Amino acid sequence: MISTDLTIRLVAGIIGIHAVYSGFEMISVRERYGKAGIMRWEPTRLYIEHIPGFSLIEPLLNRIVGVAIVRVVVGVGLAIAATLNAPVLILGTFATGLLATDLVIVLRHSVGLSGAHQMSLVVSTGLTVAVLAPSGSLLELTGIGFIAAQGILGYFISGVTKGMGNAWRSGDAVLLVLSTTTWGHPWFYEKARSFPGLTALASHGVVLFEIAFPVILLLSPPLVAAIFGVALAMHISIAFAMGINGFITSFSSTYPAIYFVSRQVPTIL
């Protein structure tokens, strides 16, 4: 049985690594946030200037590259604190810092964020609650359960959404994605065209795997580990083929919480 403390620290370590990667990713495209960039501040400002307290947070929203730098520092600190079993106060400080950068980044981008950023916000929220809650309390379990539930729903809803699309039902989705300029890859596209049967199987397999993901709560530890392995392989494949890397760390940060919850289900049933 995995303990709550180990679960929290595993989640913290992985999401800390994700924060470092995603922060550097934003810094690498900082020109997009410049005065002539596609994500410049003034157009975005029009969407959110009506929210309460806007004047207080505008300096942060207008300096998003600086927030990304802070995010890298916070991510490093969180990963180190989790690894070295640092006191709760230190771990909680870094977790709260990560949550703050997540909120600013999501608020700053009215469009253009991947699901990896949304998952990071979910994880940092649950993590902050779990870390700051009294050890062994219901609130601590709620934080862990929230992360696990969102991780499972992330796969399930993605699968349902894909299943509603004609391209995924026909088996053409993977080939169509790989053929695009934005998300495609010439080598992978040519290989996919050479094996249409396997490509269609991959499309259907992704949909079925994601829809069936909630079953993980009822499986034995070896099968849970196998499901995590398949999910990671899927994310790594997407990273190589499409260049979307953030899903690897953002979604895998929910795995310790999902495993923890899956070990509680037999005791409830």
Side-chain angles (χ1 to χ4, degrees):
M1 182 71 70
I2 184 173
S3 68
T4 55
D5 181 67
L6 179 57
T7 300
I8 290 170
R9 292 184 182 278
L10 286 172
V11 170
I14 300 171
I15 200 62
I17 294 171
H18 172 75
V20 173
Y21 167 77
S22 58
F24 275 124
E25 188 175 49
M26 291 182 65
I27 294 169
S28 70
V29 294
R30 56 189 176 277
E31 68 279 357
R32 296 181 184 179
Y33 300 99
K35 292 184 178 180
I38 191 173
M39 294 300 296
R40 61 190 182 276
W41 171 232
E42 286 306 319
T44 306
R45 186 180 191 277
L46 298 176
Y47 286 97
I48 58 176
E49 61 182 358
H50 62 281
I51 65 174
F54 172 77
S55 60
L56 298 177
I57 59 175
E58 182 179 10
L60 291 176
L61 297 172
N62 195 21
R63 295 172 175 82
I64 196 65
V65 176
V67 172
I69 295 172
V70 172
R71 182 176 180 80
V72 171
V73 175
V74 168
V76 171
L78 187 59
I80 292 175
T83 303
L84 299 182
N85 202 27
V88 170
L89 180 61
I90 295 176
L91 194 65
T93 299
F94 284 120
T96 304
L98 177 60
L99 173 58
T101 65
D102 273 324
L103 287 170
V104 171
I105 289 170
V106 170
L107 191 58
R108 173 65 170 78
H109 296 78
S110 54
V111 295
L113 287 183
S114 70
H117 285 279
Q118 310 298 335
M119 186 56 70
S120 179
L121 175 59
V122 164
V123 172
S124 62
T125 300
L127 176 65
T128 301
V129 171
V131 171
L132 298 181
S135 180
S137 67
L138 178 60
L139 189 58
E140 180 185 57
L141 293 176
T142 300
I144 295 173
F146 177 74
I147 295 171
Q150 293 300 316
I152 292 171
L153 285 173
Y155 286 110
F156 178 73
I157 293 174
S158 178
V160 171
T161 303
K162 288 183 178 73
M164 295 173 64
N166 292 329
W168 286 97
R169 290 202 303 272
S170 67
D172 296 331
V174 171
L175 185 62
L176 290 174
V177 170
L178 292 176
S179 70
T180 63
T181 302
T182 303
W183 303 116
H185 189 287
W187 186 87
F188 283 104
Y189 174 65
E190 289 303 322
K191 292 299 179 183
R193 279 210 315 170
S194 301
F195 302 95
L198 288 177
T199 303
L201 183 62
S203 296
H204 293 144
V206 168
V207 173
L208 292 175
F209 174 78
E210 292 184 336
I211 290 177
F213 195 85
V215 178
I216 196 171
L217 294 177
L218 304 176
L219 301 179
S220 64
L223 289 177
V224 171
I227 295 298
F228 289 156
V230 172
L232 277 175
M234 179 179 71
H235 290 309
I236 292 171
S237 298
I238 291 172
F240 275 109
M242 300 172 60
I244 305 176
N245 305 309
F247 286 101
I248 299 175
T249 44
S250 63
F251 271 79
S252 64
S253 69
T254 69
Y255 294 173
I258 293 173
Y259 182 81
F260 175 85
V261 172
S262 74
R263 295 306 88 216
Q264 313 309 310
V265 171
T267 63
I268 297 174
L269 298 179

